[in-house]
Amino acid sequence: MTHQRRFSDAELNVTAYRLETKHPQDVLAWGIEQFGTEIVLASSFGAEDVVLIDMLHKLAPKTPIFYLDTGKHFPETLSTRDRLQERYGISFIQKLPAFTLEEQAERYGDKLWEREPNLCCKLRKVEPLREILSTYSAWITGIRREQAPTRANAKKVEWDEKFQLVKLNPLADWTQEDVWTYIRSHDVVYNPLHDRHYPSIGCSVCTRPVMPGEDPRAGRWSGFSKTECGLHK
């Protein structure tokens, strides 16, 4: 489905400029006011996403939230999902890939992530994301500029050319310290892997702890030049 654009690039640029110095809650409030039930939060249950879940619950608790179930999440990630659902009384939308892991192995060979991680991410994350976003007019993400060079220019509101809808990045200008200050001051449920040197948490087969002095994204797809799964490029 191709969305009819409600805002021109110029209008979105003006909005992004106006919201640049505002709090994340103001960005969320703008999105909810503009899109209502046509906006969705994408969650991987990482630190940034649990902050946004908490904020959204206080602003608009009926806003849909989905996660991409790759079949390779850490048990701690799924436990965090369950604790969040219990805390807020919500039910996250589970988005599955077209293929089970067994079907993927039959078509592409076993452990595709070890040989062609880009293809594995495409099948288990990018295509399912494209499918679910086609039913919405805007999506909310937890990306921050300081996370990676590929995210350094993220605006708080922008047009997502890849998925053809409006994209909100309410935490774009936040530091890691900002995120953890919010988590602690609001007693937000978070993934315990963060306490074990996992700043960025993806699939268990493609994520390792990050050692002191390493880039925060170094734990993702270690041994490959890859630093993004393709959702935010």
Side-chain angles (χ1 to χ4, degrees), residues 67-115:
Y67 69 102
L68 303 173
D69 193 341
T70 62
K72 282 293 181 183
H73 285 304
F74 287 96
E76 291 89 345
T77 301
L78 299 178
S79 172
T80 302
R81 173 202 63 189
D82 296 343
R83 288 161 58 220
L84 288 163
Q85 289 188 144
E86 186 177 347
R87 163 76 67 90
Y88 299 112
I90 55 181
S91 183
F92 298 115
I93 300 165
Q94 177 195 45
K95 182 59 184 171
L96 292 162
F99 306 122
T100 65
L101 286 164
E102 292 73 25
E103 289 167 341
Q104 179 172 297
E106 286 174 17
R107 285 173 176 252
Y108 299 97
D110 199 25
K111 297 184 178 179
L112 181 62
W113 51 86
E114 290 183 359
R115 294 176 286 106

Side-chain angles (χ1 to χ4, degrees), residues 19 22-32 51-52 54-56 58-59 170-171 174 182 186:
L19 292 172
K22 302 290 187 183
H23 294 293
Q25 292 93 329
D26 297 319
V27 181
L28 291 171
W30 177 86
I32 291 156
V51 165
L52 290 171
D54 187 77
M55 289 178 176
L56 262 184
K58 292 165 181 170
L59 276 170
L171 305 179
W174 269 28
Y182 185 97
H186 293 83

Side-chain angles (χ1 to χ4, degrees), residues 80-229:
T80 302
R81 173 202 63 189
D82 296 343
R83 288 161 58 220
L84 288 163
Q85 289 188 144
E86 186 177 347
R87 163 76 67 90
Y88 299 112
I90 55 181
S91 183
F92 298 115
I93 300 165
Q94 177 195 45
K95 182 59 184 171
L96 292 162
F99 306 122
T100 65
L101 286 164
E102 292 73 25
E103 289 167 341
Q104 179 172 297
E106 286 174 17
R107 285 173 176 252
Y108 299 97
D110 199 25
K111 297 184 178 179
L112 181 62
W113 51 86
E114 290 183 359
R115 294 176 286 106
E116 293 186 71
N118 283 335
L119 178 56
C120 192
C121 282
K122 181 173 185 283
L123 295 170
R124 308 207 73 73
K125 296 173 95 172
V126 179
E127 291 308 323
L129 179 67
R130 187 186 304 281
E131 191 176 316
I132 194 165
L133 290 184
S134 71
T135 63
Y136 292 94
S137 297
W139 70 308
I140 305 160
T141 87
I143 68 172
R144 295 183 296 106
R145 292 170 190 150
E146 73 165 20
Q147 286 172 324
T150 49
R151 302 179 179 192
N153 297 317
K155 297 177 183 176
K156 291 192 178 179
V157 178
E158 58 193 359
W159 179 253
D160 189 327
E161 195 62 42
K162 181 167 186 172
F163 297 111
Q164 294 290 299
L165 76 171
V166 174
K167 182 178 185 179
L168 280 69
N169 307 307
L171 305 179
D173 61 339
W174 269 28
T175 63
Q176 187 176 23
E177 186 178 348
D178 291 330
V179 173
W180 285 100
T181 297
Y182 185 97
I183 288 173
R184 294 188 185 102
S185 60
H186 293 83
D187 190 29
V188 179
V189 168
Y190 68 89
N191 193 325
L193 288 174
H194 288 308
D195 294 331
R196 299 178 216 157
H197 308 291
Y198 286 86
S200 174
I201 304 166
C203 292
S204 60
V205 290
C206 295
T207 310
R208 66 161 175 83
V210 173
M211 296 300 104
E214 284 190 302
D215 184 277
R217 300 284 295 180
R220 305 292 296 277
W221 306 283
S222 189
F224 292 91
S225 60
K226 180 178 172 63
T227 59
E228 294 275 4
C229 53

